[in-house]
Amino acid sequence: MRDLKARALSRLVIGVSTLAIVTAPAFAQETDAAAPADEGEEIVVTGIRASLQAAVDIKRDAQGVVDAISAEDIGKFPDTNLAESLQRITGVSIDRSNGEGSTVTVRGFGPEYNLVTLNGRQMPTSSLGDGASAPATRSFDFANLASEGISGVEVYKTGRAAVASGGIGSTINIKTPRPLDRPGMRGSVSAKGVLDTSTNGGDKITPEVSGIFSTTFGDADQFGILISGIYQKRNASVNTGSVGFGNAFLGNENDWGTLGPEGPNVINRPGATEVYEIPQSAAYNLTDIERERINGQVVLQYRPIDSLTATLDFTYSRNRVEARDSSVGIWFNFGDTSTEWTDGPAAGPVFYTERFGPGKDLSYSGSLTANETVNKSFGGNLKWEAPGGVTITLDGHHSTAESKPTNRFGTSTSVGSAIFGVASQTVDFTQQLPVLSYTMQPGINPLNAALVNATGNSFRNAYFKDEINQAQLTGRYDHDGGFLDSIDFGFSFVENKVRSAYGFVQNDTWGGLGTPADLPDDLYELVTLPDKFPGLSGSDGMIPSYLRFDFERMVDLLDDRFGICGGDGNCLANYDTDRRIHEKTISPFVQVNTKFTVGDRDAHIIAGVRYDQTTVASSSLTPVAIGTSWGAVGEFNVVYQLDTQGNPVLDFQTTKGSYDNWLPAIDFDIEPIDNVKLRASYSHTITRADYASLQGGLTLNRQFGITGGGGLQGNPNLVPFLSKNIDFSAEWYYAPASYVSAGYFRKKVSNFINSQEVERSAFDLRNPADGPRFRAAQAALGGTIDVGAIRNYILRNFTSGVEVARDGSGNPILDVNGYYTGRILGLPEDGLVDFNVGTPFNSDQTATLYGFEFAIQHAFWDTGFGTQLNYTIVRGDAEFDNAANPNIGQFALAGLSDSANAVLYYDKGGLQARVAYNWRDKFYAGGNPNPTYVEAYGQFDASISYEFIPGLTAYVEGINLTGEGRRGHRRNENMVTFAQPGFARYMGGVRFNF
């Protein structure tokens, strides 16, 4: 099915491309011939054609390779989401979150490799990442910004000395309108309703309103003010079938978790050198989302004389997202199993079944998160067009981005309950959706709420704030005639202060908390599943229904009875990891712009260099580890020192680093014949390391295994990724708003960050499963390796370092096997815990990425019809080998994939319509030594509007009209990691421009 769609897209692109190229010469001749008759008549083009014409002008006149999107009118951007608009640009693809465009990938480099600026200013970035660890990314989340307040976006694909450093993939400059750019009074007011068909329940139609007002006044329109505001609310649901896989094995390995020998229970077992992965868990999640976004901007301008303009601006955005999740899930113990596998060399499961005795759990879990991201930017700009062709600009801003939870539970939560009594469970991997099924022990009804028992829970609390203070002094000298055209020069100072914090409360009572009688039956409701996964094969054979609980009521009940959050109802964990990074960068630059002729044809060379010097001070508040505990068969935890209020005691550690870079850039262009431009560029660009890699201090994983644990220690002396770039392109502008282009790019990247693991002890922590008690228990039990039995023996027969769990009557609490429960603490006579501490370093590995970009934009005479087509090919020399030995790490580039766009539009007589198809091929999303792939995805969008009277327009838009879903897998397509159905989203409203 996916290959068929790709072939259909290729035929569409080729067919329309051929039509556009064939008609182009005739159109160009017709336009040229008609031009004299139109002299003296001003033609005003608006709407889609105006936007495309503005983008063409920027591309044609740019230094280097630049693509752009411009607003169709004040308050009207081509798409309702900035990322969705950017994907229309050649070489740009996007990642979606909660059904909306969120981050961008440019020429194969993901969001962390692209620098985003607002009106030329470096913007802070903030997100909570997975919510279950300290946030660390530099990537910009475009979901925070509404498109209605944006006038244009420019994507710089080649390096320039005059453009801020930080983006190997690209530098993306978001532009907002300025009142003095278009004197007079103008504005726009829009109201629309959004219907998201993905919604499982609740309000399906939500409101969006926006307004922008700009005016100039004074005797010579020397004063200007612009105000904009946007309010958007959206309800949606994301339903996911998922499978969690463990480590990969070679067929000849024999270890815990590997397959048994070939036989009736293991069909087509992977061969000795073939690679496979065993499923560890599987689940169906229903996630209901409420998103509220508010954007606003105020701009004040004053131009006392024509040569001097002062600007003050304030930009604000707030994005609140609440996600309520419920799930049914299973875990595998790798015991009595039956399974079948595909052929290798990377074998995938056909099905995987496990059978159990009494006491196996069927999990019913829930979570509730409510997080917000707030961006604020206050800036000032003074531009002076001085005598002698000199222009001086002084610009500064103070900007912050902050992400945090807005409820009492945290940024990532999980509250578990279960029915104990699974007899067998199976996952069928032959469909698009992983098909989960189970059988229960006699007399156990999995949908009987009276049998549900509370289990473990965790409440994770993350926080992120990024503050940027920047001052820029730039100048330009325009030379009058001769070889020298102009000189750009300047100096920038950027101070970047980052705080990333994280803490969690976890209760490891996964074997059961209390009894089923503690949970009232009306806490649960029955939820059906197959109707939540339309369009995915396998949904007709999945678990038909499960029990969902009221999250807030469940937490309050468990906190009141068992104190899971301390008994006060506040589950926000105190931060036990708190990282601070302080970067200072100074950047002088100079750029010389020349113009000359080759023969009688115009040509330009633009050459410059930028120098970056950065200092890094990295501090980390980390909890003081004082011991270890063994809480369940496979659950070992680090114990931290607490103060008198029960909060972890933190120790402050600081390390420093620095680096500098010379970043040259040179661009050449020539117009060998009229309306044809050839370009060549060479540049050096950088991307700075993520914040986690720069962290100071040693952070241990709170949980470890019987053989040891892990940890991380950052490195502030990491130097940035460095890319040496070559670009060639040819562009033919054969008619207004029409062109054909082809380009080649090559990036050689070095300074990749790898992690080396050093085995070491830390803080004198001891392993309670490696000492005299463990060996005595093992000997008393006849040398058994049954860890559960050994734990039971220690809890029953030792008193030192042992905490037996007891009920209200003082009796030991037993698990389903009749074993004692409780904690076994590490003692000085136990062996040291071995921690594999990962420390990042700049490796000597290099990678070369290259590709081709093809684009056509064509207007079909004066019919109002037009098209945009582009296709990007991306290749690299560092690809993941799925068949390689999984015990050896690999070096691979993530995000590389081909992409394509096809747009057909109509714009004439007040009627505008557009149909767009966007496609991205399968790509490696990361993971080493176990890779994850996101499969090919294509989406149809459409919009139509009609201006009934001048200024009053009604419009309808549709996103993902065919309801395309998304899917990911590991080495083999049968190793599905997630599968999500797709749903359409519709919008309709009115807009009034004046």
Side-chain angles (χ1 to χ4, degrees):
M1 181 179 67
R2 292 185 290 273
D3 292 339
L4 178 62
K5 290 180 179 178
R7 290 195 298 270
L9 174 65
S10 300
R11 288 195 293 268
L12 173 64
V13 171
I14 293 170
V16 181
S17 301
T18 303
L19 177 60
I21 293 172
V22 169
T23 58
F27 182 38
Q29 294 169 8
E30 179 181 314
T31 302
D32 293 342
D38 294 333
E39 289 181 1
E41 178 183 355
E42 181 181 2
I43 300 176
V44 180
V45 182
T46 61
I48 296 174
R49 288 184 293 166
S51 172
L52 296 179
Q53 182 63 62
V56 168
D57 292 342
I58 293 172
K59 181 179 181 68
R60 183 171 186 170
D61 298 336
Q63 302 170 352
V65 180
V66 180
D67 283 296
I69 301 173
S70 298
E72 297 173 6
D73 204 343
I74 185 170
K76 175 63 173 72
F77 213 66
D79 294 273
T80 58
N81 177 286
L82 276 183
E84 302 281 353
S85 289
L86 283 168
Q87 70 176 337
R88 315 295 180 201
I89 289 178
T90 310
V92 178
S93 52
I94 69 173
D95 292 317
R96 291 173 170 83
S97 175
N98 301 331
E100 288 186 297
S102 176
T103 56
V104 300
T105 295
V106 182
R107 289 179 164 180
F109 283 99
E112 63 273 19
Y113 296 98
N114 297 295
L115 178 69
V116 176
T117 61
L118 180 67
N119 298 314
R121 302 164 177 165
Q122 183 175 333
M123 282 293 101
T125 62
S126 182
S127 70
L128 293 173
D130 59 6
S133 59
T137 183
R138 293 180 186 262
S139 63
F140 187 85
D141 188 352
F142 286 89
N144 292 323
L145 296 180
S147 63
E148 286 85 348
I150 306 302
S151 63
V153 180
E154 299 169 337
V155 180
Y156 295 88
K157 298 179 181 177
T158 54
R160 289 173 54 185
V163 174
S165 64
I168 283 179
S170 69
T171 297
I172 301 172
N173 185 38
I174 302 170
K175 300 173 66 177
T176 57
R178 296 289 187 254
L180 293 185
D181 290 345
R182 291 181 59 183
M185 181 185 296
R186 59 196 181 98
S188 173
V189 178
S190 176
K192 63 183 172 183
V194 179
L195 171 63
D196 196 316
T197 62
S198 70
T199 306
N200 291 326
D203 296 332
K204 290 183 175 291
I205 299 180
T206 52
E208 294 190 3
V209 293
S210 64
I212 182 169
F213 173 78
S214 175
T215 187
T216 56
F217 53 95
D219 295 339
D221 280 331
Q222 68 269 35
F223 297 97
I225 182 171
L226 182 144
I227 302 174
S228 67
I230 300 106
Y231 174 83
Q232 299 177 339
K233 185 175 182 180
R234 175 179 170 236
N235 293 342
S237 296
V238 177
N239 304 326
T240 308
S242 63
V243 179
F245 289 88
N247 291 326
F249 301 101
L250 287 174
N252 60 7
E253 292 186 67
N254 184 19
D255 200 351
W256 185 77
T258 58
L259 291 172
E262 176 80 20
N265 287 337
V266 182
I267 302 172
N268 197 33
R269 190 189 193 282
T273 60
E274 295 180 340
V275 184
Y276 69 97
E277 298 176 51
I278 299 290
Q280 285 191 331
S281 62
Y284 294 126
N285 290 70
L286 305 184
T287 306
D288 299 326
I289 299 161
E290 293 183 5
R291 190 262 289 154
E292 182 185 66
R293 182 166 59 195
I294 296 175
N295 283 192
Q297 186 177 54
V298 177
V299 182
L300 304 175
Q301 286 191 293
Y302 175 50
R303 185 176 291 157
I305 56 177
D306 290 343
S307 60
L308 183 65
T309 303
T311 304
L312 291 175
D313 57 81
F314 176 73
T315 303
Y316 174 86
S317 71
R318 188 193 75 190
N319 192 31
R320 286 182 173 173
V321 179
E322 179 183 281
R324 187 179 298 270
D325 178 89
S326 63
S327 68
V328 54
I330 56 176
W331 289 80
F332 291 99
N333 294 344
F334 316 122
D336 180 11
T337 62
S338 298
T339 184
E340 181 179 353
W341 293 79
T342 67
D343 293 334
V350 176
F351 74 89
Y352 192 85
T353 297
E354 186 167 7
R355 293 165 289 275
F356 310 93
K360 180 63 175 69
D361 62 311
L362 175 67
S363 172
Y364 294 143
S365 298
S367 71
L368 175 63
T369 58
N371 304 320
E372 75 170 10
T373 297
V374 176
N375 296 269
K376 301 176 184 177
S377 179
F378 177 76
N381 183 281
L382 191 64
K383 183 177 181 180
W384 178 38
E385 297 177 4
V390 175
T391 301
I392 302 294
T393 302
L394 176 64
D395 187 275
H397 74 102
H398 166 76
S399 301
T400 60
E402 183 180 34
S403 298
K404 61 183 179 182
T406 59
N407 66 11
R408 57 189 173 93
F409 304 113
T411 55
S412 174
T413 62
S414 178
V415 175
S417 67
I419 286 184
F420 293 90
V422 175
S424 68
Q425 58 192 31
T426 298
V427 181
D428 179 353
F429 294 92
T430 60
Q431 308 295 320
Q432 290 176 311
L433 187 72
V435 181
L436 281 63
S437 60
Y438 57 79
T439 62
M440 305 298 290
Q441 300 288 351
I444 304 294
N445 178 1
L447 301 180
N448 183 357
L451 300 178
V452 182
N453 204 119
T455 59
N457 47 76
S458 61
F459 301 88
R460 304 174 180 91
N461 186 19
Y463 174 84
F464 193 90
K465 184 175 182 179
D466 187 3
E467 175 186 321
I468 289 183
N469 299 300
Q470 182 178 17
Q472 300 180 83
L473 179 64
T474 60
R476 181 180 179 90
Y477 167 65
D478 289 304
H479 187 66
D480 187 14
F483 175 74
L484 178 64
D485 182 47
S486 61
I487 299 176
D488 294 299
F489 54 92
F491 178 89
S492 171
F493 170 77
V494 178
E495 180 185 43
N496 183 22
K497 295 190 287 186
V498 175
R499 181 188 180 194
S500 175
Y502 173 71
F504 66 95
V505 173
Q506 181 160 311
N507 299 285
D508 297 316
T509 52
W510 306 108
L513 177 63
T515 69
D518 292 315
L519 305 180
D521 293 356
D522 64 357
L523 187 64
Y524 287 85
E525 64 175 340
L526 190 67
V527 179
T528 57
L529 274 172
D531 58 309
K532 309 300 191 302
F533 292 85
L536 292 179
S537 63
S539 59
D540 55 347
M542 66 191 304
I543 296 172
S545 55
Y546 72 101
L547 294 175
R548 175 173 63 191
F549 56 79
D550 183 322
F551 182 87
E552 294 95 323
R553 188 178 166 197
M554 171 73 89
V555 173
D556 290 342
L557 186 153
L558 296 179
D559 192 38
D560 181 62
R561 295 191 181 182
F562 303 103
I564 63 172
C565 296
D568 61 358
N570 180 14
C571 299
L572 284 176
N574 294 318
Y575 301 133
D576 54 24
T577 298
D578 199 341
R579 302 168 182 164
R580 318 289 176 91
I581 294 176
H582 192 179
E583 292 179 333
K584 294 181 180 179
T585 301
I586 59 171
S587 301
F589 74 89
V590 63
Q591 178 175 288
V592 177
N593 312 305
T594 66
K595 60 180 180 180
F596 54 96
T597 58
V598 177
D600 61 346
R601 311 307 303 180
D602 291 337
H604 303 84
I605 291 179
I606 301 95
V609 64
R610 188 179 192 94
Y611 174 73
D612 274 3
Q613 183 185 74
T614 300
T615 60
V616 181
S618 180
S619 304
S620 179
L621 290 173
T622 55
V624 177
I626 58 172
T628 58
S629 70
W630 185 8
V633 170
E635 296 172 5
F636 296 78
N637 291 279
V638 176
V639 177
Y640 297 103
Q641 182 180 350
L642 304 178
D643 60 20
T644 55
Q645 284 75 42
N647 300 319
V649 175
L650 302 175
D651 186 28
F652 194 76
Q653 304 176 46
T654 302
T655 51
K656 296 183 178 181
S658 63
Y659 56 84
D660 59 4
N661 289 276
W662 291 93
L663 303 174
I666 183 168
D667 296 293
F668 169 77
D669 68 70
I670 187 172
E671 194 167 338
I673 58 176
D674 289 346
N675 300 317
V676 172
K677 181 163 283 191
L678 304 180
R679 303 180 192 269
S681 299
Y682 177 80
S683 65
H684 290 190
T685 53
I686 62 171
T687 286
R688 294 175 173 85
D690 65 275
Y691 297 124
S693 298
L694 297 172
Q695 66 163 313
L698 170 63
T699 302
L700 298 178
N701 296 342
R702 178 168 176 169
Q703 291 187 325
F704 60 94
I706 194 169
T707 59
L712 294 173
Q713 186 163 17
N715 181 4
N717 282 296
L718 291 173
V719 299
F721 300 88
L722 174 65
S723 179
K724 299 179 179 180
N725 317 300
I726 296 175
D727 286 81
F728 299 100
S729 69
E731 303 151 13
W732 176 29
Y733 299 91
Y734 56 83
S738 297
Y739 72 92
V740 178
S741 69
Y744 168 81
F745 61 89
R746 180 179 180 272
K747 296 174 179 289
K748 185 173 183 179
V749 185
S750 58
N751 298 338
F752 281 95
I753 298 174
N754 280 353
S755 179
Q756 56 187 358
E757 288 194 345
V758 178
E759 186 173 305
R760 51 169 289 188
S761 61
F763 308 116
D764 198 39
L765 297 178
R766 301 288 169 162
N767 187 345
D770 180 22
R773 293 171 300 177
F774 187 93
R775 287 187 286 273
Q778 192 174 30
L781 296 172
T784 181
I785 60 173
D786 185 337
V787 177
I790 293 172
R791 264 182 51 83
N792 178 61
Y793 185 92
I794 295 174
L795 289 168
R796 287 176 180 269
N797 295 281
F798 288 86
T799 56
S800 178
V802 169
E803 298 176 354
V804 176
R806 300 183 183 276
D807 60 21
S809 301
N811 299 314
I813 298 175
L814 307 181
D815 65 14
V816 295
N817 297 310
Y819 290 164
Y820 272 32
T821 59
R823 297 199 310 165
I824 302 172
L825 305 179
L827 296 178
E829 58 265 30
D830 292 328
L832 292 167
V833 180
D834 291 324
F835 290 96
N836 290 314
V837 177
T839 301
F841 70 100
N842 292 112
S843 72
D844 57 2
Q845 294 168 320
T846 62
T848 300
L849 180 151
Y850 63 94
F852 301 88
E853 295 179 338
F854 305 96
I856 297 173
Q857 182 171 299
H858 181 69
F860 292 98
W861 305 283
D862 194 30
T863 63
F865 285 100
T867 188
Q868 290 176 282
L869 302 167
N870 62 62
Y871 196 101
T872 303
I873 299 170
V874 181
R875 298 290 184 269
D877 62 0
E879 296 184 355
F880 198 94
D881 182 359
N882 292 325
N885 188 335
N887 301 305
I888 301 175
Q890 298 188 45
F891 173 61
L893 292 176
L896 275 62
S897 66
D898 294 354
S899 59
N901 293 278
V903 177
L904 179 66
Y905 70 86
Y906 178 84
D907 182 3
K908 190 174 184 180
L911 178 64
Q912 296 185 35
R914 175 180 6 223
V915 177
Y917 181 74
N918 173 262
W919 172 82
R920 183 181 185 182
D921 204 357
K922 182 181 81 171
F923 64 93
Y924 165 64
N928 188 4
N930 299 310
T932 298
Y933 297 90
V934 176
E935 297 180 4
Y937 176 84
Q939 176 175 304
F940 278 100
D941 304 328
S943 64
I944 186 169
S945 67
Y946 183 71
E947 189 174 24
F948 290 93
I949 60 174
L952 182 62
T953 302
Y955 57 90
V956 177
E957 302 174 38
I959 307 295
N960 194 14
L961 292 173
T962 56
E964 293 300 309
R966 302 177 70 240
R967 190 177 188 270
H969 63 263
R970 297 283 274 259
R971 287 176 166 84
N972 184 293
E973 285 197 8
N974 276 30
M975 295 180 184
V976 55
T977 55
F978 75 91
Q980 297 171 337
F983 298 89
R985 185 167 75 252
Y986 303 100
M987 291 152 282
V990 294
R991 180 173 53 253
F992 178 65
N993 288 15
F994 55 91

